[in-house]
């Protein structure tokens, strides 16, 4: 999503004098404020009820580091049965790399006495890390559910959603992230026992690896498409036996045993080939620890 597609909503900013100070606050991501990424503390959405007439995609605003754009936030509105609406938040990452967003974990909005035009959700944040392989990738953040009858009282109100953004990769790729990756899923016993397998991956040496379609499809979109397009229960993978073992070890357990002793540049290629974002995070963390003057050029290439 580019700026030419999600330009400013003229109806929103046609009369800045009528808008509350929240829209212009340095910490607010809004249509009328050039917010610095490190200072962003809330997303400000204007007059949500009016926009229900046409459920569509609407911009919120962007964040910057100095004059360089980092993230652009937008949302979609969808009508549901029972007079309910879904507001889904997204962001467009203007560059490649890793970033993390803390977003309000609450779903209820309340009015503050000192700011009657604005409604706030919980200040408690829930964090999620994202990886963009290239510039201008879009990422889903969160969905809020609203009832139309309640939203009728929100006309000319502002929704303020607490948020915080972290773009420092050295802070994101820490031991806590690695631990989360490792414990996210572990089907190691299932892989070892080879019980109830329903598909076979074949390495370039013709060695067969019995696997489970569901587990592969959940963790790798590349393998999911391969399984869907296969006319049999077998597929040839362009990997040697060792790399195939590493691939399946990560898919089934969420980690790589003794990862510091593995060629992490090779692991990074496997992660990219099969679109394993968590393996990219894990590998980058190890490379960060191992990089030195002798291998810096090779790593950069």
């Amino acid at each position: 999503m580019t700026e030419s597609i999600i330009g400013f909503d003229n109806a929103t900013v046609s009369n800045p004098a009528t808008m509350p100070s929240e829209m212009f606050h340095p910490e607010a991501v809004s249509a009328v404020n050039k917010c610095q990424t490190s200072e962003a503390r809330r997303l400000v959405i204007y007059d949500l009820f009016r926009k229900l007439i046409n459920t569509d995609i609407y911009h919120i605003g962007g964040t910057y580091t100095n004059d360089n754009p980092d993230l652009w936030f937008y949302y979609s509105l969808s009508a549901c049965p029972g007079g309910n609406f879904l507001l889904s938040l997204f962001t467009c990452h203007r560059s490649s790399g890793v970033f993390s967003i803390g977003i309000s974990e609450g779903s209820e909005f309340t009015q503050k006495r000192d700011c009657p035009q604005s409604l706030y959700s919980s200040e408690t944040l829930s964090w999620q890390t994202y990886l963009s392989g290239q510039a201008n990738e879009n990422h889903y953040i969160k969905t809020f559910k609203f009832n139309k009858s309640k939203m009728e009282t929100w006309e000319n109100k502002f929704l303020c959603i607490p948020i915080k953004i972290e773009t420092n990769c050295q802070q994101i790729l820490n031991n806590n992230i690695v631990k989360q990756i490792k414990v996210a899923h572990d089907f190691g016993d299932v892989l070892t026992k080879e019980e109830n397998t329903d598909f076979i991956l074949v390495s370039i040496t013709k060695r067969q690896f019995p696997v489970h379609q569901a587990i592969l499809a959940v963790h790798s979109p590349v393998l999911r498409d391969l399984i869907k397009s296969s006319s049999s229960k077998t597929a040839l993978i362009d990997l040697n036996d060792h790399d195939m073992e590493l691939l399946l070890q990560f898919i089934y357990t969420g980690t790589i045993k003794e990862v510091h002793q593995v060629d992490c540049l090779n692991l990074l290629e496997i992660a990219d080939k099969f679109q394993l974002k968590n393996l990219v995070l894990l590998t980058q963390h190890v490379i960060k620890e191992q990089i030195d003057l002798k291998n810096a050029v090779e790593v950069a290439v």
Side-chain angles (χ1 to χ4, degrees):
M1 182 162 292
T2 61
E3 287 184 0
S4 60
I5 297 176
I6 52 175
F8 287 120
D9 179 353
N10 290 331
T12 300
V13 296
S14 59
N15 189 6
T18 64
M19 296 182 180
S21 58
E22 280 289 353
M23 291 285 286
F24 299 92
H25 196 284
E27 297 180 347
V29 181
S30 72
V32 293
N33 183 50
K34 190 173 183 179
C35 181
Q36 293 297 297
T37 301
S38 61
E39 297 177 359
R41 294 296 181 270
R42 51 191 172 275
L43 303 176
V44 181
I45 298 176
Y46 174 69
D47 197 4
L48 187 62
F49 180 75
R50 179 176 61 86
K51 297 186 173 88
L52 295 181
I53 299 173
N54 297 307
T55 54
D56 204 342
I57 295 177
Y58 298 92
H59 82 288
I60 298 175
T63 70
Y64 302 78
T65 298
N66 297 324
D67 291 326
N68 299 317
D70 288 328
L71 297 171
W72 188 269
F73 292 89
Y74 60 101
Y75 64 96
S76 67
L77 282 174
S78 305
C80 299
N84 294 315
F85 287 84
L86 298 180
L87 185 157
S88 296
L89 289 173
F90 303 87
T91 188
C92 177
H93 190 201
R94 296 311 181 90
S95 59
S96 61
V98 182
F99 65 99
S100 190
I101 291 179
I103 189 80
S104 171
E105 67 175 17
S107 57
E108 296 293 327
F109 286 81
T110 57
Q111 183 174 308
K112 290 185 177 181
R113 293 181 180 179
D114 58 345
C115 194
Q117 284 185 277
S118 299
L119 301 164
Y120 293 81
S121 57
S122 170
E123 295 285 347
T124 304
L125 304 182
S126 176
W127 285 86
Q128 178 66 43
T129 300
Y130 303 87
L131 171 66
S132 298
Q134 59 185 1
N136 294 320
E137 281 196 13
N138 298 294
H139 301 275
Y140 165 78
I141 302 175
K142 180 178 180 176
T143 296
F144 294 89
K145 177 183 175 182
F146 304 110
N147 184 271
K148 185 176 181 180
S149 60
K150 181 177 182 179
M151 294 175 67
E152 290 176 348
T153 64
W154 292 2
E155 191 169 4
N156 297 319
K157 301 285 187 180
F158 291 77
L159 295 189
C160 295
I161 304 174
I163 193 173
K164 191 174 182 181
I165 305 166
E166 191 63 75
T167 58
N168 189 329
C169 290
Q170 289 186 349
Q171 293 181 14
I172 295 172
L173 296 175
N174 55 34
N175 291 327
N176 289 332
I177 292 297
V178 175
K179 183 177 180 180
Q180 292 174 19
I181 293 172
K182 289 182 177 181
V183 302
H185 55 278
D186 190 344
F187 297 96
D189 289 341
V190 177
L191 175 63
T192 303
K193 295 178 181 179
E194 298 183 359
E195 295 177 345
N196 301 317
T197 58
D198 54 7
F199 202 80
I200 294 176
L201 297 182
V202 182
S203 69
I204 57 177
T205 64
K206 306 304 181 183
R207 177 181 167 186
Q208 295 186 350
F209 294 79
V211 293
H212 304 79
Q213 295 185 59
I215 294 178
L216 267 58
V218 165
H219 293 102
S220 170
V222 174
L223 291 176
R224 179 175 63 243
D225 292 342
L226 180 65
I227 292 171
K228 286 183 177 179
S229 62
S230 178
S231 58
S232 65
K233 295 296 183 180
T234 304
L236 179 66
I237 303 293
D238 186 21
L239 290 178
N240 59 41
D241 293 351
H242 179 259
D243 288 351
M244 184 77 85
E245 290 173 351
L246 291 175
L247 170 65
L248 295 179
Q249 181 185 152
F250 183 80
I251 287 177
Y252 276 80
T253 70
T255 189
I256 299 293
K257 294 180 180 179
E258 299 179 349
V259 65
H260 290 83
Q261 300 178 22
V262 178
D263 182 352
C264 285
L265 295 181
N266 182 51
L267 266 185
L268 203 56
E269 291 183 7
I270 295 174
D272 180 66
K273 183 173 184 177
F274 294 96
Q275 297 182 24
L276 301 169
K277 293 185 177 181
N278 282 342
L279 182 55
V280 171
L281 290 174
L282 177 62
T283 306
Q284 287 180 339
H285 172 74
V286 178
I287 291 175
K288 176 173 70 83
E289 294 181 343
Q290 295 178 344
I291 194 168
D292 55 31
L293 292 176
K294 294 181 180 179
N295 62 18
V297 174
E298 180 184 4
V299 171
V301 172

